[in-house]
């Protein structure tokens, strides 16, 4: 996972569990024989992370006290693309599994995971889930197959001070890619700083080109006779790549440091050297805490700019239940998932305790917004609960918070995403370093390479 994704997973810097309480509307379940259900769950931190492991143990103890018919056995196993399918098919996987957002649609299509809607409806607050975050983990009929942990969506981070120096309104970031191009050109001309910086290495160039493709109305992969094939050698990705080529060689708005990963870009941004880049609100925390951004009031973020796609890339961790799990265990698993991952994000008291604990560190960033797991009414309650401890400039996140709900959240490519990103890194780097780069030829070569990887992975 890239750093913004890790950062975006924590609303206040870490999951507090001490204040968790049981869900009264969910009664303990037995397995039908009077025996306690033993539920094996992924998500337990490794022994090297003692503080997190202690929190997990407390969470388990609280849950078992509230649900005496269920015993939790934690597992430190994590999703691994090379072994996951074999374990799932062989029945050797846990009763609750954790997967990245690349996986749910494929698992649902292959009927390898259980629908959870019927069990989730037993929770008093089920109807308050944000439908935007449930859609990527639901089937066409609306059945929900998982519980997300702090989902996030990508947007456009920008430097408000450079906007002002360039004569742009810091409260009105660009909402289209045509505007991004125009703003970047103006920032570069007026300030001498790169108006926009594109990540281009360590698989992150392909990752960001995927975001741009979604915003242009395209896809990276499609199902063909039950198997995924590459689907980016067409107009949306070509338009995105040609836009970057124009910004580099005609507008001269991308600067001279062209081979960057995310850490390079955020470090330069924290030093006031970048006008705009693609990221999540979590990059605020990285800029301030990791890279020492002193003028945090210069930080701004808007929704992902669009070019006909009305979409942005989303991510996060999804907890699911294999289809092989019994009905009784599935019901127990849903109780665990709601208790461990939904309730903490719903409860304003937990949010306030978390924010207060984090605010004890003067270097911390308290109150960085994320994509809400629940509806706006509940999010308003959480915002009010943490307000005394917030030390970030919340109005500067407003364009992101108002614009993102209108977009479709799209996950990363379902199969061999990292191989796809690596192939597209090469295309991005060529466009940024070679004035005569042939976009059509670059994408044809990348699609051929990716299709070979996809075919091999789906034998």
């Amino acid at each position: 996972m890239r750093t913004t994704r890790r950062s975006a997973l924590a609303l206040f810097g870490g999951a507090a569990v001490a204040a968790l309480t049981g869900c009264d509307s969910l009664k303990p379940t037995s397995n039908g024989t009077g025996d306690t259900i033993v539920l094996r769950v992924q998500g337990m931190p490794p022994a090297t992370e003692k503080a997190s492991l202690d929190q997990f143990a407390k969470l388990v103890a609280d849950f078992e006290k509230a649900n005496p018919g269920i015993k939790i056995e934690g597992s430190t196993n994590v999703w691994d693309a090379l072994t996951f399918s074999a374990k799932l098919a062989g029945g050797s996987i846990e009763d609750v599994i954790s997967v990245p957002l690349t996986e749910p649609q494929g698992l649902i299509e292959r009927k390898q995971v259980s629908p959870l809607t019927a069990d989730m409806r037993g929770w008093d607050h089920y109807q308050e889930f944000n439908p935007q975050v449930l859609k990527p983990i639901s089937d066409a009929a609306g059945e929900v197959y998982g519980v997300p942990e702090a989902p996030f969506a990508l947007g456009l981070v920008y430097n408000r001070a450079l906007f002002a120096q360039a004569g742009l309104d810091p409260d009105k970031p660009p909402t289209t890619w045509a505007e991004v191009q125009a703003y970047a050109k103006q920032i570069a001309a007026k300030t001498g700083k790169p108006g926009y910086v594109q990540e281009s290495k360590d698989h992150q160039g392909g990752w960001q080109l995927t975001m741009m493709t979604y915003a242009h109305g395209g896809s990276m992969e499609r199902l063909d006779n039950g198997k995924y094939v590459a689907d980016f050698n067409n107009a949306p990705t070509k338009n995105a790549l040609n836009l970057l080529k124009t910004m580099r060689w005609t507008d001269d708005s991308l600067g001279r440091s062209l081979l960057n990963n995310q850490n390079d870009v955020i470090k330069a941004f924290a030093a006031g050297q970048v006008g705009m880049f693609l990221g999540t609100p979590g990059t605020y925390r990285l800029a301030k805490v990791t890279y020492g951004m002193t003028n945090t009031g210069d930080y701004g973020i808007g929704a992902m700019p669009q070019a006909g796609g009305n979409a942005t890339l989303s991510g996060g961790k999804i907890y699911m239940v294999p289809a092989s799990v019994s009905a009784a265990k599935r019901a127990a698993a849903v109780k665990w998932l709601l208790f461990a991952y939904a309730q903490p994000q719903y409860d304003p008291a937990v949010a306030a305790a978390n924010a207060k604990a984090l605010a004890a560190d003067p270097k911390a960033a308290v109150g960085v917004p994320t994509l809400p797991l629940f509806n706006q009414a509940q999010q308003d309650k959480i915002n009010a609960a943490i307000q005394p401890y917030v030390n970030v400039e919340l109005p500067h996140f407003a364009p992101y918070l108002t614009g993102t709900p209108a977009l479709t959240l799209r996950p990363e490519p379902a199969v061999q995403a990292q191989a796809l990103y690596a192939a597209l890194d090469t295309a991005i780097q060529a466009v940024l370093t070679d004035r005569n780069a042939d976009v059509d030829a670059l994408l044809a070569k990348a699609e051929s390479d990716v299709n070979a990887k996809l075919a091999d992975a789906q034998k």
Side-chain angles (χ1 to χ4, degrees):
M1 283 187 177
R2 275 162 291 280
T3 311
T4 48
R5 283 189 268 178
R6 287 198 301 268
S7 300
L9 293 180
L11 180 56
F12 310 112
V17 297
L20 291 177
T21 58
C23 305
D24 293 338
S25 60
L26 298 175
K27 303 302 181 185
T29 306
S30 74
N31 61 7
T33 64
D35 297 329
T36 296
I37 289 178
V38 177
L39 200 66
R40 299 173 303 145
V41 304
Q42 292 185 359
M44 183 172 76
T48 53
E49 299 179 13
K50 186 178 184 305
S52 296
L53 191 60
D54 289 345
Q55 286 185 329
F56 184 84
K58 175 71 165 91
L59 177 61
V60 169
D62 288 346
F63 175 80
E64 290 180 348
K65 181 178 180 180
N67 297 272
I70 307 170
K71 177 177 174 58
I72 299 296
E73 287 188 357
S75 169
T76 59
N77 288 336
V78 295
W79 182 83
D80 183 338
L82 298 177
T83 62
F84 177 78
S85 294
K87 287 182 177 180
L88 190 60
S92 60
I93 205 159
E94 289 83 359
D95 304 313
V96 171
I97 57 177
S98 170
V99 302
L101 196 57
T102 54
E103 303 306 304
Q105 286 302 314
L107 294 170
I108 293 168
E109 179 77 20
R110 295 188 297 272
K111 302 186 185 304
Q112 292 176 298
V113 288
S114 295
L116 306 181
T117 312
D119 294 301
M120 288 175 68
R121 283 197 182 113
W123 190 41
D124 289 341
H125 309 299
Y126 172 74
Q127 297 298 331
E128 296 168 69
F129 273 110
N130 179 357
Q132 189 185 30
V133 303
L134 292 185
K135 187 174 181 180
I137 55 176
S138 303
D139 64 16
E143 281 282 355
V144 179
Y145 284 76
V147 173
E149 181 184 13
F152 62 90
L154 274 294
L156 182 76
V157 181
Y158 63 99
N159 185 300
R160 293 172 57 89
L162 292 182
F163 265 49
Q165 290 175 36
L168 300 167
D169 187 342
D171 293 327
K172 296 180 179 179
T175 59
T176 68
W177 276 98
E179 290 178 343
V180 171
Q181 180 184 7
Y183 283 33
K185 186 176 180 179
Q186 189 165 330
I187 290 168
K190 297 287 188 180
T191 72
K193 306 290 174 61
Y196 173 81
V197 174
Q198 177 79 18
E199 294 166 20
S200 58
K201 66 179 184 180
D202 299 338
H203 300 189
Q204 293 167 20
W207 179 55
Q208 293 206 331
L209 186 57
T210 296
M211 302 174 203
M212 294 181 69
T213 296
Y214 289 172
H216 280 76
S219 297
M220 308 310 287
E221 295 176 353
R222 61 180 170 85
L223 275 172
D224 183 17
N225 293 321
K227 293 189 176 181
Y228 284 94
V229 296
D231 189 32
F232 54 77
N233 185 21
N234 47 41
T237 309
K238 288 180 181 180
N239 290 342
L241 207 49
N242 276 313
L243 174 64
L244 291 174
K245 186 177 181 181
T246 300
M247 292 171 72
R248 166 66 177 98
W249 297 105
T250 303
D251 299 348
D252 193 24
S253 61
L254 303 188
R256 291 292 180 269
S257 179
L258 299 166
L259 300 181
N260 299 288
N261 62 22
Q262 186 179 79
N263 289 335
D264 298 329
V265 174
I266 298 175
K267 184 177 181 180
F269 178 84
Q273 301 300 308
V274 171
M276 298 177 284
F277 72 96
L278 299 180
T280 69
T283 55
Y284 177 102
R285 185 176 290 108
L286 288 171
K288 177 183 178 180
V289 177
T290 304
Y291 295 110
M293 184 176 186
T294 54
N295 298 321
T296 55
D298 293 347
Y299 183 98
I301 184 168
M304 178 65 68
Q306 296 301 307
N310 196 45
T312 186
L313 187 146
S314 181
K317 189 182 293 184
I318 309 298
Y319 289 92
M320 309 185 85
V321 179
S324 58
V325 169
S326 69
K329 278 197 171 185
R330 183 186 66 234
V334 169
K335 291 187 177 77
W336 164 254
L337 292 177
L338 293 173
F339 187 94
Y341 302 110
Q343 182 74 22
Q345 295 180 78
Y346 182 89
D347 192 340
V350 173
N354 234 345
K356 183 178 180 180
L358 192 61
D361 180 359
K363 296 181 180 180
V366 185
V368 174
T370 66
L371 191 67
L373 186 58
F374 296 96
N375 61 24
Q376 191 58 51
Q378 191 60 27
Q379 187 61 42
D380 289 343
K381 295 177 184 177
I382 291 173
N383 292 343
I386 69 170
Q387 194 278 331
Y389 313 105
V390 170
N391 65 1
V392 305
E393 299 82 357
L394 287 178
H396 298 178
F397 295 83
Y400 175 89
L401 294 173
T402 57
T404 301
L407 302 178
T408 297
L409 303 185
R410 299 190 57 187
E412 296 179 65
V415 180
Q416 292 289 301
Q418 295 303 320
L420 182 149
Y421 295 158
L424 290 175
D425 269 6
T426 302
I428 291 270
Q429 290 169 14
V431 163
L432 296 182
T433 58
D434 179 3
R435 181 186 296 271
N436 299 312
D438 185 334
V439 167
D440 288 359
L442 288 167
L443 289 180
K445 173 66 163 59
E447 187 162 273
S448 176
D449 292 345
V450 170
N451 273 328
K453 296 281 189 182
L454 292 174
D456 187 58
Q458 298 175 99
K459 284 181 179 177

